[in-house]
């Protein structure tokens, strides 16, 4: 289409290698090196004095929540360092002294900027004034806030159907912003509210809702301290949730055991030097994983079935292995599960996993002897075609062991973005919640839509087929975070208007609709005052605790606005001040927003007061062993099948991963020191036997191809790095390899992209 080619935008930047230096993978995480890297990043971006002052307030009682991951804050945090290396990097990234505005964009077109890498784009700094990219133009121009709101309102009013608008949410937003955003979308008339959870932990929500009755984890932070066994599955906490290592260290010191289940052996689970612990820092650190099971990509169902078979066999010899009283009282499906397990041969399951039987026996014996068991997981489980079944097979283990609804046991899906769980709690969802709709009618006095909206995948498809024409993003880097990058880019370019509410420049500000708005907003660390009164926001952690966050830094510019105010003023403009909700007032006083949350959202009560200090836990039925919302009032064991990848002889399974110098699609640097990678991102980790079979040598250049339903997708120019990864498996960083993930290949029931098990072939570049 003509409007797709109006601007010549690159999706990859000018592809070039940046000077790879290879070292041996590290065996110790954090420690003095982690402290040094944290200080280097913050001092460079923020200055020494400003950095130290701000870091001391991060995750403290009266301070601000870390803008990085959603790991909970302990009841008694360290007064000097309740943050990790990546949290410090996230702070430095949003609080940088580098700023860009209209003058910068006058000099640099979106076409020119698109030739930069994602790392280079991020390093340009904070956007400090609202900007518009007009039709057929290639330079952003300044626009007043009111003109921006009127432009959006006019486009929305011109739509023939409210479902032609899509309102996407990133997990970085606060409960207050997400609540207003979700209510505006509903008041406008649509449930088209895709969010980043659709791309990551939606599988967890579906799996847990079907088996336990709530789409959240059941454990608290204190439960991890006293657990006898913690399974860390499909997760790399040393890079993605480093403060989790402190909890695992405490578990180990209390006598607990940690089992790592992942294709890669990650440094954080090998050994951890806790920067909060002098003896750790001066000594040899704390070994974390007692056993590592290097399972092949997407063979977790086979592994969990094998462990279940062994537990059942051990229980036949000693009936105390399984918790039969718990099963009888709280669980249905036991006989069907036992019958299913009988169909599988242990040797067959073991061969599929690629893990030695000796190690599997070791884990099974450990689980047989203990009952306080926690299973933690992340995207290594959630982003497969059978992701829901992967998670449910591990839930089967917990249910047979009675490791649900008691101290030091349960489920722990470890979320990424710092408030992705809170966003969903306060109403960001594409499906219809009848109870929430009733509360909206009762307390907000409007009728919300009753038809489901688009999730992320289907929102992209709707834009691609021009069924949606206005696309609004509350945070994030949508084009690069979503699957099938080229398809997604074309879909976004089909829109009449795209709106990005952001702190910094990213590629989604360059790949736009015919008209585009870039609306700059506050960072988590910035002070938010309205009419002389300091405002605060709230977030929900991975373990379901709601607490306050108050920024302390002067905002990057007097021309930026907070997310709640932006949403409120947009709604006020759209409704012309004539609506049952007083949008303008809500944008000026966040206590008013929380009062509405308390009235309409299940579990929230007196939030303005109870969120002070270290906050309060939302209700969780699993902790009370209350399964009344499920059919028959019982937790459910499930029958799950083994995946069939049907690989061709030349195909391998690729999983996308993060480097240690990134958070989601935000690239802080070019190093991944734990894996021995320095100054490069375009690398592929391969097993030496797979390399030899394809006549590949260390640092050969290759292209990667995926071929689904006759459509060939290519990611160009990667360096081969031999690595300890199971034969037949590969790993490479996202977002560089997201373009290999087909838009129509996603998890059954949850529609989460298959980013952790992509069938690919390798082409050597001469």
């Amino acid at each position: 289409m003509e409007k797709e080619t109006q601007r010549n935008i690159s999706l990859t930047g000018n592809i070039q290698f940046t000077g790879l230096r290879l070292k041996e993978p590290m065996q110790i995480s954090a420690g003095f090196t982690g402290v040094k890297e944290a200080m280097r990043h913050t001092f460079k971006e923020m200055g020494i004095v400003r950095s130290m002052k701000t870091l001391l307030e991060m995750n403290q009682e009266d301070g601000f929540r870390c803008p990085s991951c959603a790991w909970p804050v302990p009841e008694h945090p360290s007064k000097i360092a309740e943050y990790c290396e990546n949290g410090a990097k996230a702070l430095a990234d949003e609080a940088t002294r580098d700023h860009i505005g209209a003058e910068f964009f006058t000099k640099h077109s979106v076409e020119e900027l698109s030739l930069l890498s994602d790392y280079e784009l991020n390093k340009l700094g904070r956007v400090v004034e609202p900007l518009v990219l007009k039709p057929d133009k290639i330079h952003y121009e300044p626009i007043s806030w009111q003109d921006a709101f009127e432009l959006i309102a006019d486009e929305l009013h011109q739509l023939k159907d409210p479902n032609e608008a899509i309102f996407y949410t990133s997990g970085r937003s606060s409960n207050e912003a997400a609540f207003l955003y979700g209510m505006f979308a509903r008041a406008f008339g649509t449930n088209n509210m895709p969010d980043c959870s659709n791309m990551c932990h939606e599988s967890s929500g579906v799996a847990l809702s079907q088996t336990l009755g709530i789409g959240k984890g059941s454990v608290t932070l204190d439960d991890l301290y006293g657990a006898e066994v913690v399974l860390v599955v499909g997760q790399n906490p040393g890079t993605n949730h480093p403060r989790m290592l402190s909890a695992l260290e405490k578990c180990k010191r209390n006598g607990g055991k940690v089992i790592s289940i992942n294709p890669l052996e990650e440094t954080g689970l090998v050994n951890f030097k806790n920067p909060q612990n002098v003896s750790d820092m001066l000594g040899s650190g704390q070994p974390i994983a007692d056993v590592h099971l290097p399972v092949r990509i997407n063979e977790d169902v086979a592994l969990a079935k094998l462990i279940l078979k062994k537990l059942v066999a051990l229980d036949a010899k000693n009936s105390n292995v399984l918790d039969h009283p718990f099963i009888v009282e709280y669980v249905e499906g036991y006989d069907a599960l036992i019958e299913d397990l009988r169909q599988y041969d242990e040797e067959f399951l073991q061969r599929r996993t690629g893990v030695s039987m000796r190690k599997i026996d070791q884990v099974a014996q450990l689980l047989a002897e203990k009952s306080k068991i926690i299973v933690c997981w992340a995207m290594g489980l959630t982003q497969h075609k059978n992701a829901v079944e992967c998670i449910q097979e591990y839930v089967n283990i917990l249910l047979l062991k009675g490791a649900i609804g008691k101290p030091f046991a349960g489920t722990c899906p470890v979320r990424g973005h710092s408030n992705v769980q809170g966003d969903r709690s306060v109403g960001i969802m594409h499906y219809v919640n009848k109870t929430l709709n009733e509360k909206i009618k009762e307390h907000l006095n409007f009728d919300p839509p009753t038809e489901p909206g688009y999730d992320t995948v289907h929102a992209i498809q709707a834009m691609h087929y021009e069924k949606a024409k206005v696309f609004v993003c509350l945070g994030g880097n949508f084009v690069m975070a979503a699957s099938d990058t080229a398809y997604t880019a074309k879909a976004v370019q089909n829109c009449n208007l795209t709106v990005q509410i952001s702190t910094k420049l990213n590629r989604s500000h360059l790949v736009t609709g015919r008209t585009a708005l870039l609306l700059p907003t506050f960072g988590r660390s910035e002070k938010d005052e309205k009419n002389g009164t300091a405002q605060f926001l709230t977030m929900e952690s991975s373990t379901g605790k709601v607490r306050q966050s108050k920024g302390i830094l002067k905002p990057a510019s007097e021309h930026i606005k907070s997310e709640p105010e932006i949403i409120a003023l947009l709604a006020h403009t759209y409704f012309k001040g004539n609506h049952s909700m007083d949008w303008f007032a809500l944008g000026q006083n966040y206590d008013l927003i929380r009062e509405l949350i308390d009235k309409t959202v299940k579990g929230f009560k007196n939030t303005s007061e109870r969120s002070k200090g270290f906050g309060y836990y939302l209700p969780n039925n699993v902790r009370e062993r209350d399964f009344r919302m499920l059919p028959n009032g019982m937790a459910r064991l499930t029958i799950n099948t083994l995946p069939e990848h049907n690989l061709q002889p030349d195909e391998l399974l690729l999983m996308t991963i993060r480097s240690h110098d990134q958070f989601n699609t935000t690239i802080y640097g070019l190093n991944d020191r734990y894996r021995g990678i320095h100054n490069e991102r375009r690398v592929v980790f391969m097993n030496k036997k797979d390399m030899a079979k394809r006549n590949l040598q260390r640092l050969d250049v290759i292209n990667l191809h995926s071929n689904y339903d006759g459509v060939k997708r290519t990611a160009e120019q990667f360096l081969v790095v031999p690595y300890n990864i199971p034969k037949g498996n590969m790993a490479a960083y996202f977002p560089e390899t997201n373009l290999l993930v087909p838009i129509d290949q996603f998890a059954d029931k949850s529609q989460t992209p298959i980013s952790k098990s992509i069938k690919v072939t390798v082409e050597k570049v001469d």
Side-chain angles (χ1 to χ4, degrees):
M1 291 184 184
E2 183 181 352
K3 62 183 174 185
E4 291 180 3
T5 58
Q6 285 176 352
R7 304 180 184 112
N8 186 20
I9 303 296
S10 170
L11 298 180
T12 60
N14 186 14
I15 295 177
Q16 55 185 349
F17 297 122
T18 47
L20 172 62
R21 300 191 304 275
L22 278 180
K23 297 183 180 180
E24 288 297 313
M26 295 181 68
Q27 296 300 303
I28 297 176
S29 63
F32 287 109
T33 303
V35 173
K36 182 186 73 173
E37 285 299 307
M39 295 303 102
R40 184 176 70 84
H41 274 265
T42 53
F43 291 174
K44 180 180 179 182
E45 298 290 341
M46 301 172 62
I48 296 175
V49 174
R50 189 163 172 261
S51 293
M52 297 309 298
K53 174 186 175 184
T54 312
L55 286 168
L56 288 171
E57 294 296 326
M58 189 153 69
N59 290 326
Q60 297 301 317
E61 182 173 355
D62 293 318
F64 62 95
R65 279 286 306 276
C66 175
S68 186
C69 77
W71 190 252
V73 176
E75 294 291 342
H76 303 289
S78 165
K79 293 297 183 183
I80 59 171
E82 193 51 59
Y83 56 87
C84 66
E85 177 188 341
N86 270 15
K89 289 176 180 176
L91 169 63
D93 192 69
E94 76 165 31
T96 178
R97 294 172 296 183
D98 294 327
H99 298 160
I100 54 176
E103 183 179 355
F104 172 86
F105 287 97
T106 298
K107 297 176 181 177
H108 303 284
S109 71
V110 292
E111 294 180 340
E112 173 192 344
L113 291 169
S114 76
L115 297 177
L116 300 178
S117 68
D118 294 301
Y119 167 66
E120 291 169 325
L121 287 173
N122 185 62
K123 297 302 287 183
L124 292 173
R126 290 284 296 275
V127 180
V128 292
E129 60 182 303
L131 301 160
V132 61
L133 183 63
K134 296 178 180 178
D136 304 319
K137 301 291 185 182
I138 59 173
H139 288 269
Y140 273 103
E141 302 171 14
I143 186 173
S144 72
W145 279 104
Q146 189 55 40
D147 285 347
F149 295 139
E150 289 177 359
L151 192 159
I152 301 169
D154 288 345
E155 287 287 345
L156 292 175
H157 279 296
Q158 289 177 32
L159 297 178
K160 297 178 181 178
D161 185 325
N163 290 314
E164 292 181 336
I166 294 172
F167 298 88
Y168 172 81
T169 314
S170 161
R172 70 170 294 279
S173 60
S174 63
N175 288 335
E176 291 75 11
F179 178 79
L180 286 188
Y181 195 60
M183 293 309 126
F184 174 61
R186 290 178 175 89
F188 174 68
T190 185
N191 281 314
N192 287 344
M193 287 177 279
D195 72 328
C196 62
S197 185
N198 297 154
M199 294 186 276
C200 54
H201 267 286
E202 196 70 41
S203 300
S204 299
V206 173
L208 294 174
S209 295
Q210 291 180 347
T211 54
L212 302 177
I214 187 172
K216 302 180 182 182
S218 65
V219 302
T220 68
L221 183 56
D222 287 347
D223 287 328
L224 280 152
Y225 301 155
E228 295 173 320
V229 184
V230 178
L231 276 67
V232 182
V233 189
Q235 186 190 356
N236 176 17
T239 286
N240 300 337
H241 319 90
R243 286 189 299 117
M244 181 179 175
L245 296 180
S246 298
L248 295 177
E249 179 192 43
K250 197 166 185 176
C251 173
K252 292 294 298 289
R253 294 191 186 280
N254 289 336
K257 302 291 185 181
V258 176
I259 311 301
S260 167
I261 302 175
N262 198 51
L264 299 175
E265 184 177 46
E266 302 288 14
T267 302
L269 292 172
V270 175
N271 190 291
F272 172 54
K273 280 193 174 185
N274 189 343
Q276 299 175 359
N277 190 311
V278 175
S279 61
D280 265 15
M281 294 289 278
L282 297 178
S284 57
Q286 171 69 58
I288 298 295
D290 297 275
V291 183
H292 172 63
L293 304 183
V295 64
R296 289 192 180 111
I297 289 175
N298 198 17
E299 291 297 349
D300 287 277
V301 173
L303 177 61
K305 280 187 183 295
L306 183 50
I307 291 172
L308 283 165
K309 282 183 68 71
K310 290 181 177 295
L311 289 175
V312 170
L314 290 169
D315 185 70
K317 299 176 182 178
N318 178 356
S319 60
N320 291 325
V321 169
L322 304 183
D323 191 336
H324 291 282
F326 173 84
I327 294 169
V328 169
E329 184 173 358
Y330 294 107
V331 181
E332 66 176 2
Y334 177 78
D335 291 339
L337 178 65
I338 299 302
E339 183 62 31
D340 175 69
L341 293 174
R342 290 195 183 108
Q343 301 177 31
Y344 295 95
D345 175 74
E346 287 193 4
E347 298 294 333
F348 167 75
L349 292 173
Q350 182 270 326
R351 286 195 299 273
R352 287 199 57 146
T353 68
V355 180
S356 73
M357 192 70 86
R358 177 186 61 81
K359 282 193 170 186
I360 297 172
D361 283 332
Q362 184 181 356
V363 171
Q365 187 62 46
L366 184 59
L367 293 173
E369 296 168 357
K370 307 296 183 182
S371 66
K372 298 172 184 175
I373 302 165
I374 293 174
V375 179
C376 306
W377 69 90
M379 264 67 81
L381 281 193
T382 66
Q383 292 183 322
H384 300 290
K385 179 71 173 173
N386 64 329
V388 172
E389 291 193 327
C390 285
I391 296 163
Q392 290 182 337
E393 201 69 25
Y394 282 105
V395 173
N396 284 344
I397 295 174
L398 292 174
L399 288 173
L400 289 190
K401 290 295 298 178
I404 288 289
K406 66 181 183 180
F408 316 122
T411 57
C412 185
V414 183
R415 310 282 178 167
H417 264 315
S418 59
N419 197 44
V420 62
Q421 186 159 297
D423 286 355
R424 180 58 55 84
S425 293
V426 300
I428 297 297
M429 59 190 74
H430 60 278
Y431 51 86
V432 177
N433 182 315
K434 292 182 179 179
T435 302
L436 178 61
N437 275 9
E438 290 171 0
K439 293 290 186 180
I440 291 171
K441 289 181 183 179
E442 179 182 358
H443 297 290
L444 305 186
N445 299 308
F446 71 85
D447 292 326
T450 57
E451 295 298 321
Y454 297 128
D455 62 10
T456 296
V457 165
H458 293 96
I460 295 169
Q461 292 174 328
M463 290 186 286
H464 192 87
Y465 293 111
E466 299 190 57
K467 294 180 180 179
K469 298 174 181 176
V470 173
F471 183 51
V472 185
C473 281
L474 182 62
N477 183 1
F478 185 83
V479 170
M480 300 310 294
S483 57
D484 212 338
T485 312
Y487 184 99
T488 298
K490 289 180 180 178
V492 170
Q493 289 169 326
N494 280 346
C495 292
N496 291 335
L497 173 68
T498 53
V499 182
Q500 301 281 341
I501 302 171
S502 304
T503 55
K504 300 184 74 176
L505 191 68
N506 62 50
R507 201 166 301 277
S508 294
H509 306 136
L510 311 176
V511 181
T512 72
R514 186 165 179 266
T515 301
L517 284 169
L518 176 47
L519 305 182
T521 190
F522 286 15
R524 186 72 58 78
S525 58
E526 289 174 324
K527 189 182 301 183
D528 187 352
E529 290 189 349
K530 299 287 186 294
N531 303 315
T533 301
Q535 304 291 318
F536 65 85
L537 299 167
T538 59
M539 292 90 199
E540 180 186 350
S541 71
S542 266
T543 54
K545 178 176 275 190
V546 177
R547 60 159 291 193
Q548 294 182 7
S549 178
K550 290 187 285 189
I552 65 168
L553 296 177
K554 181 180 178 182
S557 165
E558 62 182 9
H559 303 296
I560 66 175
K561 294 183 182 295
S562 71
E563 288 181 336
E565 185 176 18
I566 291 172
I567 298 160
L569 290 175
L570 169 58
H572 179 74
T573 304
Y574 176 81
F575 291 113
K576 301 178 181 178
N578 184 22
H579 190 257
S580 60
M581 294 175 65
D582 188 347
W583 294 97
F584 185 85
L586 291 166
Q588 300 302 306
N589 184 348
Y590 304 167
D591 280 338
L592 299 178
I593 305 174
R594 286 183 286 274
E595 288 176 8
L596 295 182
I597 293 175
D598 292 342
K599 290 178 180 179
T600 55
V601 180
K602 182 179 178 180
F604 286 79
K605 185 177 181 181
N606 195 20
T607 299
S608 287
E609 285 300 316
R610 296 176 71 205
S611 62
K612 290 180 179 177
F614 293 101
Y616 70 100
Y617 280 107
L618 293 173
N620 189 300
N621 64 282
V622 180
R623 292 175 189 157
E624 308 300 324
R625 291 189 169 178
D626 177 5
F627 305 111
R628 286 175 295 175
M629 66 291 299
L630 288 168
N632 304 320
M634 308 278 277
R636 294 180 58 236
L637 292 163
T638 51
I639 306 303
N640 304 300
T641 57
L642 299 177
E644 293 297 334
H645 298 115
N646 299 315
L647 291 173
Q648 298 302 309
D650 60 340
E651 287 183 325
L652 300 162
L653 273 186
L654 170 75
M655 64 177 183
T656 66
I657 58 176
R658 291 186 197 169
S659 79
H660 195 64
D661 254 358
Q662 75 179 98
F663 184 78
N664 293 343
T665 57
T666 301
I667 314 300
Y668 303 136
L670 300 177
N671 298 331
D672 191 8
R673 70 174 188 275
Y674 286 173
R675 300 188 182 107
I677 304 297
H678 295 263
N679 201 44
E680 186 58 75
R681 289 187 54 82
R682 303 195 73 82
V683 299
V684 172
F685 300 97
M686 289 187 70
N687 183 287
K688 289 182 179 179
K689 292 182 179 179
D690 290 324
M691 291 173 58
K693 183 178 178 179
R694 291 159 178 79
N695 297 314
L696 294 173
Q697 302 295 319
R698 179 175 178 267
L699 302 187
D700 275 351
V701 180
I702 62 172
N703 294 334
L704 299 171
H705 306 286
S706 68
N707 194 327
Y708 287 83
D709 298 324
V711 179
K712 186 176 182 180
R713 296 167 175 84
T714 300
E716 298 180 335
Q717 300 288 300
F718 290 82
L719 297 166
V720 177
V721 173
Y723 207 77
N724 185 17
I725 188 171
K727 186 175 180 293
N729 295 169
M730 302 169 66
Y733 302 128
F734 71 83
E736 289 84 350
T737 47
N738 282 357
L739 53 83
L740 295 169
V741 186
I743 191 66
D744 57 357
Q745 294 293 317
F746 42 74
D748 297 330
K749 301 178 183 178
S750 70
Q751 285 78 56
T752 300
I754 60 162
S755 302
K756 294 297 181 284
S757 51
I758 315 161
K759 294 189 289 187
V760 299
T761 57
V762 170
E763 173 198 10
K764 185 176 179 179
V765 179
D766 296 325

